[in-house]
Amino acid sequence: MTDMSLVNTKVFFRADLNVPCDENGQISDDTRIKASLPGISAAINQGAAVMIASHLGRPTEGRFDSRYSLAPIANAISSRLGQEVKLIKDWFGGFNVRPGEVVLLENCRFNVGEKENDERLSQKIANLCDVYVNDAFASAHRKEASTHGVAKYAKTVCAGPLMTKEVLALSKALENPTAPLVAVVGGSKVSTKLPVLNRLAESVDHLILGGGIANTFLLSQGNSIGRSLAEKPMVQQAAEIFNRIVQKGGTCPLPSDVVVSKKLEKTAIAVEKQMGELDPDDLILDIGPDTINKFKDILKEAGTIVWNGPVGVFELNQFSKGTKALAKAVEESEAFSIAGGGDTIAAINKFSISQLDYISTAGGAFLEFLEGRTLPAIEILNFRAGGEPADLKG
Ligand code: 3PG
């Protein structure tokens, strides 16, 4: 977007302003709004009339529901830009926006046909503008009318600065990483991250695992894990991933000591134990101090670090030491470091981590990028730029 002239053009700017809101409708984390502002400001400064669009949550199409209204987001953008940002409820009822002005179109998921990537809706959106800008990396895995269909029909299409920054940072880490490449993958289930683990197994030098995922891998290596969360049906797959990494000369270090409790609750008592000392009713809820040190040594030597997922129940302080220590180690490392995913961003915020090379704004899209999947919203932009043919069907 910043390479082209936008003077006197009508710009449709698809951002991802899908931010968490509390029960009173107040925005509880404005990271995505802040991340979208450079692109919005650049379009205004280039003399465009700017229409911003985004989804919020997953409302029912065709029905206005105030819980999913972008009204609080219009106010937030307005106060950050220092100029009026009108909220336009009816996208197709005719509205005015002049060069240098900006409006926010109401939640795009109220439009019938958005999710289905409806052709007619996509054409109608394209007719609103001269230039379609997609700056919504966090929605790039969604093939919807405002992320994909419109890009087929708009006169001119381009990527916004946030989209560009995200794709460059992730590509740098995954396509041409400085060795050694260390991935930290936490979270509860192997099954939901299996494609990511399989892809990383091909490229990592060290795969550090935590959370329920590590428990399943511990099981696959013959450890007793008490009553801890694990997926027994995934044990075989975990063993295969472990062996593949080791056969390639890499490592998949598993926890040698852990923090356990008998229950997962706010007041649970945390006890450090070596693996091999667990009672049948113990729950593993964090990694232990020896393991933290072992993982920190690996992170210190890394050339590139990719981090997705906490290694313990970091929401409870007594089980947060492992995730906090690893987050700090990633921050202090000289490596090119990127992190992303919903839980990871929550941990980064909780522990005030700021010195990573790149913190993605995306959850699902970050994971799909790590999996090596083609993201439809990026594919269509590439196609319009003369790249590989995209799947143009709805
Ligand atoms: C996200 O939060 O991951 C994106 O905004 C996409 O939201 P969705 O999963 O509701 O499509």
Side-chain angles (χ1 to χ4, degrees):
M1 184 194 90
T2 46
D3 291 343
M4 46 197 294
S5 167
L6 299 177
V7 179
N8 290 331
T9 58
K10 279 191 275 174
V11 166
F12 182 96
F13 189 96
R14 176 56 160 102
D16 188 314
L17 305 172
N18 185 29
V19 290
C21 295
D22 65 21
E23 58 282 2
N24 304 315
Q26 299 295 311
I27 297 163
S28 43
D29 177 350
D30 65 353
T31 308
R32 285 182 174 173
I33 298 177
K34 281 198 281 200
S36 302
L37 285 176
I40 296 169
S41 299
I44 299 168
N45 294 339
Q46 287 179 61
V50 184
M51 295 163 265
I52 311 168
S54 175
H55 70 284
L56 178 67
R58 295 175 176 171
T60 308
E61 288 184 3
R63 197 177 336 135
F64 175 78
D65 180 338
S66 60
R67 288 173 303 163
Y68 299 101
S69 169
L70 299 193
I73 295 170
N75 292 336
I77 299 175
S78 171
S79 61
R80 285 187 176 273
L81 287 179
Q83 76 181 81
E84 189 188 13
V85 178
K86 245 196 216 146
L87 183 67
I88 306 292
K89 276 201 167 173
D90 182 359
W91 287 37
F92 308 109
F95 57 87
N96 273 330
V97 46
R98 289 197 295 264
E101 289 182 352
V102 50
V103 295
L104 178 62
L105 304 177
E106 186 53 286
N107 195 334
C108 59
R109 288 191 177 163
F110 290 153
N111 291 332
V112 175
E114 169 66 16
K115 271 213 94 59
E116 291 306 311
N117 200 15
D118 180 74
E119 297 287 325
R120 272 197 30 193
L121 176 63
S122 302
Q123 285 171 20
K124 276 166 69 180
I125 301 173
N127 287 338
L128 291 174
C129 65
D130 303 307
V131 180
Y132 167 76
V133 178
N134 192 339
D135 205 32
F137 177 73
S139 300
H141 58 320
R142 300 294 181 220
K143 197 173 184 178
E144 299 178 359
S146 69
T147 59
H148 183 270
V150 55
K152 290 192 265 179
Y153 298 109
K155 284 181 227 118
T156 304
V157 308
C158 57
L162 178 61
M163 174 72 92
T164 309
K165 225 164 76 173
E166 296 258 14
V167 172
L168 289 178
L170 269 72
S171 304
K172 181 171 170 181
L174 294 168
E175 280 157 25
N176 204 4
T178 303
L181 170 60
V182 180
V184 181
V185 181
S188 52
K189 288 185 171 172
V190 171
S191 53
T192 51
K193 295 204 180 161
L194 192 62
V196 173
L197 294 168
N198 271 322
R199 167 114 193 274
L200 289 173
E202 299 306 320
S203 53
V204 285
D205 296 294
H206 307 286
L207 178 61
I208 291 177
L209 298 171
I213 292 180
N215 297 342
T216 304
F217 275 73
L218 283 165
L219 265 186
S220 82
Q221 300 306 307
N223 296 279
S224 304
I225 60 164
R227 271 195 319 119
S228 309
L229 174 74
E231 288 175 290
K232 295 222 171 78
M234 300 306 291
V235 162
Q236 183 56 34
Q237 308 241 36
E240 280 166 22
I241 291 171
F242 186 96
N243 292 337
R244 254 176 28 229
I245 295 173
V246 173
Q247 274 158 18
K248 261 185 0 76
T251 72
C252 185
L254 296 174
S256 52
D257 63 336
V258 288
V259 180
V260 300
S261 189
K262 302 294 179 196
K263 278 188 189 152
L264 175 53
E265 59 187 18
K266 248 186 174 165
T267 54
I269 312 252
V271 181
E272 288 169 8
K273 286 194 179 178
Q274 295 296 313
M275 287 302 306
E277 288 179 353
L278 266 61
D279 294 334
D281 59 347
D282 275 336
L283 290 172
I284 301 174
L285 299 173
D286 196 6
I287 54 175
D290 297 346
T291 304
I292 290 177
N293 286 333
K294 185 168 71 178
F295 289 176
K296 273 166 75 174
D297 287 344
I298 295 172
L299 290 167
K300 211 187 261 165
E301 301 299 318
T304 307
I305 301 172
V306 177
W307 174 27
N308 172 260
V311 295
V313 184
F314 73 95
E315 296 87 348
L316 300 181
N317 286 339
Q318 63 273 45
F319 307 115
S320 68
K321 281 193 194 131
T323 302
K324 184 174 182 179
L326 289 203
K328 294 271 177 217
V330 177
E331 188 175 40
E332 281 159 17
S333 148
E334 303 275 297
F336 178 74
S337 55
I338 62 166
D343 288 347
T344 316
I345 294 168
I348 283 170
N349 289 338
K350 173 163 177 165
F351 304 128
S352 307
I353 303 295
S354 56
Q355 300 301 312
L356 304 193
D357 287 289
Y358 197 72
I359 300 171
S360 177
T361 57
F366 180 83
L367 275 181
E368 290 200 16
F369 200 101
L370 289 194
E371 287 168 16
R373 301 234 302 242
T374 304
L375 306 186
I378 296 175
E379 190 186 33
I380 187 78
L381 293 182
N382 278 334
F383 173 70
R384 288 292 308 267
E388 290 294 306
D391 173 8
L392 290 181
K393 283 189 228 93

